[in-house]
Amino acid sequence: MLANQWMGKEDLEVNEVPDPRILNDRDAIVRITSTAICGSDLHLYDGYIPTMRKGDILGHEFMGEVVEVGKGVGNLRAGDRVVVPFTISCGACLSCSRELFSLCENSNPNHRIAEKVMGHSPAGLFGYSHMMGGYPGGQAQYARVPFADVGPIKIEDGLPDEQVLFLSDIFPTGYMGAEMCDIQPGDVVAVWGAGPVGQFAIASAKMLGAERVIAIDRFGYRLDKARQAGATDVLDYEEVTVLEALQELTAGRGPDACIDAVGMEAHSAIGPLHAYDRAKQATRLETERPHALREAIMACRNGGTVSIIGVYGGLMDKFPIGSLMNRSLTVRTGQTHMQRYMRPLLDRIRNGDIDPSFVVSHTMPLTEAPEGFRMFRDKQDECNKIVLKP
Amino acid sequence: MTSTASPGLRRTARLLGLASTGLGVAMLRDPEGVARVAGVDDSDTAVPVITVVGARELVHAAGLLAGRPGWAWTRVAGDAMDLIAMGRALADRRGDRYRRLRTATVAVGVLALVDLGTALRSSRSRDEGPATDLPPTAPWKRAIAVSAATTVNKPPAEVYRYWRNLENLPTFMAHVREIRTPDGGRRSHWVAEAPGRRTVEWDAEVVEDRPDRLIRWRSTGDADIENTGSVEFVAAPGGRGTEVRVHLAYAQPAGRLGKVVATLFGEDPGQQVRDDLSRFKQVLETGQVVRSEGSPEGPFARRLLTQRPAHPRP
Ligand SMILES: NC(=O)c1ccc[n+]([C@@H]2O[C@H](COP(=O)([O-])OP(=O)(O)OC[C@H]3O[C@@H](n4cnc5c(N)ncnc54)[C@H](O)[C@@H]3O)[C@@H](O)[C@H]2O)c1
Ligand SMILES: [Zn+2]
Ligand SMILES: [Zn+2]
């Protein structure tokens, strides 16, 4: 089969590799019909997530048709159309039984590496480094799906791929980001990052009843998408000082909840600060470039909530812990507990509450994945979200 | 966890650690006072030197308080430096300052002897292998003793039952190829893999069996590797499943077989037991050992260093 392989930093190749085989009774093999490039993939592409190996297959947002199931998979059959969540979860451990699926205690065979870096290990993820399990990803023609009786969700009506594909990650992620804000009537929610994840966080915050949703980014076309998703206000952080603008918009209170949908590769309009973090990141003195998170903390109203869905990998400098502590802020975060959200969000798509395909800006063949990564990373050609067809 | 020091030795190490903390804090907080007591308050370099020595004491303290008697060697080195410096200083002091400095030097000398004793004992105890965690059924002088624990999201009875059927153990013990239980479970025959495509075998018997609580076993007769072990099952609080704690000890024979035992358990025998327990948890909770293309054997310490790329193999 063809697969998009990581060959090194900023170096991808689509190559012929062996087809996946069933390794366990609870596996299924899926022939992939659509797969997407995610902001999380960019952290791998740019070399910021450790424990990648040359030849690793990327991709964690995919769907397709079941072609084979192991003996232990009772709920799926060859021919079923499924969307696969990016987290791998056993469904039986204590974390899974508490619906903390991205913390599955059994799905990461390399949990020792993750424990060294983070103390305890989260769940295994598709195509996301060896620290997260060493699983091949879904930017390929086929994928092996472990615990196929727990993860994939069947799509039984004729909804097109583009409408359901994002149930594999970014729609549930944006939704969880908004849900963690515990939105109350009258709440103002600010969202840093108007990428696809931020756009779904905005749409979800509206669905969950936010009074106003403020989007922050520097790309006009993404801020337009944010408006389309439901943002009531948009801020271009190269045009305005974000903290001042938020004070102004909320008459001095600050947003009730702040969502970081940017993560470890944030950009800063303040040159020297950006240079400082970039230099430390390059020399591995810190692994994050947390401009958006710092700003989100400072902006949040007293007693408010900071919801972090942008991905971080390791250590950060100049973390405003004083602001967090003295102002009684609540921090909520996590890789998305996917299986908790897929069914209810599929229902919302079916009901017509939302059509997730609004994020798609480009569709291209899998063979053009390396070019797609470059475009998406550099935000060329108004690139918002790329769907690859294997 | 691999244990190498006796509780008594660890206690002395902690006491030394406390002494280091006291000295270090005093030196950093009030170097002038310390200089006065030691009779060196007439020197301009005394305060900076005492401050540096104080910081050093805190480093000793960190290691010793963690219960690592080996860190006493760092104190021995420090003592030597201090005694040399104090001896030099003694040469140009007279009268009351001389007496105060002499008292301080003697005190440091006494502490130095305790440090040296602890350090020497820590080195010896490392050579002789563990003195704690060795079950009473282990009569050997040289042994590898390891323990590990995990929590399994199943009730104790079920977890006990799976382990008690000893023939199940090879599904999660990486090095055990086969266990046969001819008489229904009290006696068993174990076949384990050793480096170089060799196998080692032994008979074992269950010496204590408390249903849903504990199993203790030991090798019998002329075992290739004498060993003993126990596994304990305790209900975790608040319905969190079962806490499983394993203690194992292997006699480490002299000569060639001793080398086999050493390589069989690698540099970190505790790691292997922890991996076995990860797989045990997976098998009980999910019915299988979890495999990825990068780690096809599942949790496996050696594979962590030689990950295969994450793509399928033919
Ligand atoms: N928690 C999860 O489970 C999960 C799942 C998927 C993605 N993510 C993460 O979400 C983040 C966003 O993903 P995406 O696909 O939307 O990526 P993306 O790269 O398309 O979007 C990031 C956006 O942030 C903007 N940005 C950069 N610096 C900023 C700053 N200082 N202030 C405001 N905006 C800034 C960029 O201009 C860009 O539009 C990534 O970190 C990704 O890893 C997390
Ligand atoms: Zn993603
Ligand atoms: Zn689980």
Side-chain angles (χ1 to χ4, degrees), chain A residues 37-41 60-61 86 128 168-170 173 197 385:
Chain A
I37 305 175
C38 176
S40 300
D41 291 328
H60 57 267
E61 302 183 355
F86 77 99
Y128 216 75
S168 61
D169 177 352
I170 56 174
T173 296
V197 170
K385 185 78 180 175

Short mmCIF file of all heavy atoms in Angstrom, two decimals, chain A residues 37-41 60-61 86 128 168-170 173 197 385, ligand 2:
data_model
loop_
_atom_site.label_atom_id
_atom_site.label_comp_id
_atom_site.label_asym_id
_atom_site.label_seq_id
_atom_site.Cartn_x
_atom_site.Cartn_y
_atom_site.Cartn_z
N ILE A 37 -4.94 16.18 7.32
CA ILE A 37 -3.73 16.67 7.97
C ILE A 37 -4.17 17.57 9.11
O ILE A 37 -5.04 18.43 8.94
CB ILE A 37 -2.84 17.47 6.99
CG1 ILE A 37 -2.53 16.63 5.75
CG2 ILE A 37 -1.55 17.89 7.69
CD1 ILE A 37 -1.75 17.41 4.68
N CYS A 38 -3.57 17.36 10.30
CA CYS A 38 -3.99 18.07 11.50
C CYS A 38 -2.87 18.99 11.98
O CYS A 38 -1.69 18.74 11.71
CB CYS A 38 -4.32 17.05 12.59
SG CYS A 38 -4.73 17.77 14.18
N GLY A 39 -3.23 20.01 12.73
CA GLY A 39 -2.22 20.88 13.36
C GLY A 39 -1.27 20.07 14.23
O GLY A 39 -0.08 20.40 14.34
N SER A 40 -1.76 18.99 14.81
CA SER A 40 -0.89 18.13 15.62
C SER A 40 0.20 17.49 14.76
O SER A 40 1.32 17.27 15.22
CB SER A 40 -1.69 17.03 16.31
OG SER A 40 -2.67 17.59 17.14
N ASP A 41 -0.14 17.17 13.50
CA ASP A 41 0.86 16.58 12.60
C ASP A 41 2.01 17.56 12.35
O ASP A 41 3.15 17.16 12.12
CB ASP A 41 0.23 16.21 11.26
CG ASP A 41 -0.73 15.03 11.37
OD1 ASP A 41 -0.49 14.16 12.21
OD2 ASP A 41 -1.72 15.01 10.61
N HIS A 60 -3.68 10.73 11.87
CA HIS A 60 -4.53 10.18 12.92
C HIS A 60 -5.98 10.57 12.72
O HIS A 60 -6.81 10.36 13.57
CB HIS A 60 -4.03 10.63 14.30
CG HIS A 60 -3.97 12.12 14.43
ND1 HIS A 60 -2.82 12.83 14.17
CD2 HIS A 60 -4.91 13.03 14.74
CE1 HIS A 60 -3.06 14.12 14.34
NE2 HIS A 60 -4.33 14.27 14.68
N GLU A 61 -6.29 11.19 11.58
CA GLU A 61 -7.68 11.55 11.31
C GLU A 61 -8.07 10.79 10.05
O GLU A 61 -7.68 11.16 8.96
CB GLU A 61 -7.80 13.07 11.08
CG GLU A 61 -7.30 13.87 12.28
CD GLU A 61 -7.47 15.38 12.12
OE1 GLU A 61 -7.89 15.85 11.04
OE2 GLU A 61 -7.19 16.09 13.10
N PHE A 86 -8.75 9.18 16.98
CA PHE A 86 -7.27 9.18 16.98
C PHE A 86 -6.68 8.57 18.24
O PHE A 86 -5.52 8.17 18.27
CB PHE A 86 -6.72 10.60 16.75
CG PHE A 86 -6.78 11.52 17.95
CD1 PHE A 86 -5.65 11.72 18.74
CD2 PHE A 86 -7.94 12.20 18.27
CE1 PHE A 86 -5.69 12.58 19.83
CE2 PHE A 86 -7.98 13.05 19.36
CZ PHE A 86 -6.86 13.25 20.15
N TYR A 128 1.66 8.90 16.02
CA TYR A 128 2.08 10.04 16.83
C TYR A 128 3.26 9.72 17.73
O TYR A 128 3.18 9.87 18.94
CB TYR A 128 0.89 10.61 17.63
CG TYR A 128 0.97 12.11 17.73
CD1 TYR A 128 0.67 12.89 16.63
CD2 TYR A 128 1.41 12.73 18.89
CE1 TYR A 128 0.78 14.27 16.68
CE2 TYR A 128 1.53 14.11 18.95
CZ TYR A 128 1.21 14.88 17.84
OH TYR A 128 1.33 16.24 17.89
N SER A 168 -13.21 12.18 13.75
CA SER A 168 -12.02 11.41 14.13
C SER A 168 -11.11 12.19 15.07
O SER A 168 -10.24 11.62 15.71
CB SER A 168 -11.22 11.04 12.88
OG SER A 168 -10.81 12.22 12.21
N ASP A 169 -11.28 13.53 15.14
CA ASP A 169 -10.43 14.32 16.03
C ASP A 169 -10.98 15.72 16.26
O ASP A 169 -11.52 16.02 17.34
CB ASP A 169 -8.99 14.41 15.47
CG ASP A 169 -8.07 15.28 16.31
OD1 ASP A 169 -8.54 15.95 17.23
OD2 ASP A 169 -6.84 15.31 16.04
N ILE A 170 -10.88 16.59 15.25
CA ILE A 170 -10.97 18.03 15.55
C ILE A 170 -12.35 18.51 15.98
O ILE A 170 -12.43 19.47 16.75
CB ILE A 170 -10.44 18.88 14.37
CG1 ILE A 170 -11.16 18.55 13.08
CG2 ILE A 170 -8.93 18.70 14.24
CD1 ILE A 170 -10.77 19.47 11.92
N THR A 173 -12.55 17.50 19.55
CA THR A 173 -11.54 18.27 20.28
C THR A 173 -12.02 19.69 20.55
O THR A 173 -11.95 20.19 21.68
CB THR A 173 -10.21 18.29 19.50
OG1 THR A 173 -9.72 16.95 19.43
CG2 THR A 173 -9.18 19.18 20.17
N VAL A 197 -9.21 23.54 14.56
CA VAL A 197 -9.56 23.17 15.93
C VAL A 197 -10.25 24.34 16.62
O VAL A 197 -11.31 24.19 17.25
CB VAL A 197 -8.32 22.71 16.72
CG1 VAL A 197 -8.64 22.57 18.20
CG2 VAL A 197 -7.79 21.38 16.16
N LYS A 385 -7.86 23.46 5.86
CA LYS A 385 -7.85 22.04 6.24
C LYS A 385 -7.75 21.22 4.96
O LYS A 385 -8.49 21.47 4.01
CB LYS A 385 -9.15 21.69 6.98
CG LYS A 385 -9.21 20.27 7.52
CD LYS A 385 -8.40 20.10 8.79
CE LYS A 385 -8.46 18.68 9.34
NZ LYS A 385 -7.57 18.53 10.53
ZN ZN C 2 -5.47 15.79 15.00
#
